[in-house]
Amino acid sequence: MEQEKNLETTQNQDKNIAIIAYLTIIGLIIAFILNNDKKDKFTNFHIQQSLGIAVIALGFFVIGMIPVLGWIISFLGFFLILFLWIMGLINAINGRENPVPFFGEKFIDWFKNI
């Protein structure tokens, strides 16, 4: 009975860390630090997904510095980033390891050493 309770507590902590990973860049850093000791697979997956979303967002930010065309691409990219972020957050809240659409499999490959 007590072992089940400890397992459930650990799963809830891992789920909470996975959710924190999607809450700003600071949340991503905090999740990475908290998961660094135990290297939970579920949390690690969501850290990879969140880091990938942050990298794509940074790319759209840089593109947004180009006048007119860059602004348009960056504006449209904002909606893509918002969609990816919501999908990743929903997966973390529901305890699923589904990659985010479009880039999720790439994020797993790119950040497999994390």
Side-chain angles (χ1 to χ4, degrees), residues 73-113:
I73 293 171
S74 182
F75 179 74
L76 296 175
F78 167 78
F79 293 106
L80 174 66
I81 295 300
L82 183 63
F83 173 70
L84 295 176
W85 178 77
I86 289 171
M87 294 304 295
L89 186 61
I90 288 171
N91 286 333
I93 290 170
N94 291 329
R96 294 185 302 220
E97 284 189 38
N98 295 343
V100 293
F102 311 117
F103 302 106
E105 295 294 330
K106 294 286 185 197
F107 296 158
I108 294 169
D109 290 338
W110 294 347
F111 306 116
K112 62 185 165 198
N113 294 328

Side-chain angles (χ1 to χ4, degrees), residues 33-47:
I33 291 170
L34 290 175
N35 192 48
N36 202 22
D37 294 335
K38 55 186 174 174
K39 292 287 187 185
D40 177 63
K41 184 183 172 209
F42 175 75
T43 307
N44 218 25
F45 174 82
H46 284 287
I47 288 172

